[in-house]
Amino acid sequence: RASTAAPVTVLSLWQPLASLLAHGLQRVEGRGWSTQFRGPLWIHAGSKQVEREDIDKWETLYREVHAADGHADVQFPDRYPTSALVGLVEVVDVVTADEFSSWTSLPRGLRREGRAHGSGSLFLVRSHRRLPVPLKMSGQHKLWRLEQRVAEQVFPHLIPTAQGACCDFAHHRSLASSALVAPRGGGGGGDGLLLALPLPLLPLVPPLPPVP
C-alpha cells in the first residue's frame, strides 16, 4: 500500500457523538467554525468522561431521528471510549445551519438531526466506518493530523457501519438552489429571475387653457 493511501486528517469530539459518528448513526455534526476541508476524516473521542445522562439524551434523539425516516432498527455502540481514535467518515459538505434548514426536501428525521446540532456550521458526512478496537491516543483542537505510520496501520481494519438510508446531500442542496430561482406561475420561459425595473418618468404637461 502506498504511503499516501491512508487519510490523516482528524477531528476530536466529546462522547457520545464520536462513537455515534463512527457507528453510522450521526450524519450531521455541528461546529462553531467552518472549513474548506472535504474528504475522509478520522474521528477521535476526547478525554472527557461521558455522563449517562448525555448518552441517554443522544441515543433517544437518534432513535427518534431514524424512526422518523423509516429506520427503527438501529444499533448503538456497546461502549463509549475516551482518548481514542474510533473511526472514519467522509465529509461531503460544510454548510451553515440556516442553509441546511432551508433544504425542505430533506427527510423529516434528518432535518430534526440538523436542528439538534446548533446554529453554527454543519459538517455533512457519509461512508461511516469504525475501528473494531479503538486506538488510545490524545487529541488536539479543531482539525489535526494523524501520524502517517499510524494511519497506515489502522486504515485496513476499518469496518463499514452505515445505518439507515444514505443521504445524497448534494441532491437536496441542488433542489433548494433551484427553488430560489424558479419562475413564478405555471408557464413561460425566461430564466426564473424576477427583476424590479423602475417605471419611466412621464413628462409634465401644462394644463390646457379654458375654452372661451
Side-chain angles (χ1 to χ4, degrees):
R1 184 183 297 271
S3 61
T4 58
V8 295
T9 307
V10 191
L11 175 66
S12 291
L13 303 166
W14 299 135
Q15 290 286 26
L17 297 183
S19 288
L20 292 178
L21 276 165
H23 283 253
L25 292 153
Q26 184 177 339
R27 300 156 294 180
V28 178
E29 166 57 21
R31 299 279 93 187
W33 44 273
S34 186
T35 177
Q36 296 299 315
F37 176 82
R38 306 291 186 273
L41 179 68
W42 289 102
I43 300 301
H44 172 268
S47 60
K48 181 182 178 181
Q49 293 297 318
V50 62
E51 300 291 336
R52 184 71 242 180
E53 180 182 354
D54 288 332
I55 294 175
D56 291 343
K57 179 188 77 171
W58 286 105
E59 286 189 352
T60 297
L61 171 74
Y62 274 98
R63 192 174 289 111
E64 295 173 351
V65 159
H66 286 281
D69 292 341
H71 305 285
D73 186 20
V74 292
Q75 302 297 316
F76 289 92
D78 294 327
R79 58 195 183 93
Y80 293 91
T82 56
S83 298
L85 197 69
V86 294
L88 184 80
V89 297
E90 179 188 357
V91 178
V92 296
D93 208 348
V94 179
V95 300
T96 66
D98 286 342
E99 180 179 355
F100 189 78
S101 67
S102 72
W103 299 358
T104 56
S105 61
L106 287 167
R108 184 162 58 96
L110 191 55
R111 295 185 69 191
R112 182 181 176 189
E113 180 181 357
R115 292 194 298 270
H117 284 279
S119 59
S121 296
L122 301 181
F123 288 43
L124 311 182
V125 307
R126 66 180 181 188
S127 304
H128 307 71
R129 287 175 276 181
R130 67 177 177 86
L131 286 173
V133 179
L135 183 63
K136 297 293 287 185
M137 65 173 61
S138 299
Q140 299 179 36
H141 186 55
K142 291 190 175 180
L143 299 179
W144 51 280
R145 292 178 64 84
L146 187 64
E147 288 185 29
Q148 187 72 53
R149 173 185 56 83
V150 175
E152 294 293 339
Q153 288 176 351
V154 297
F155 184 68
H157 301 289
L158 288 164
I159 301 172
T161 55
Q163 302 194 57
C166 179
C167 179
D168 185 350
F169 290 109
H171 172 69
H172 293 285
R173 183 175 198 171
S174 177
L175 289 177
S177 298
S178 298
L180 293 176
V181 296
R184 294 182 181 177
D191 58 7
L193 298 177
L194 300 177
L195 302 178
L197 299 178
L199 295 175
L201 297 177
L202 298 177
L204 294 178
V205 178
L208 296 175
V211 179

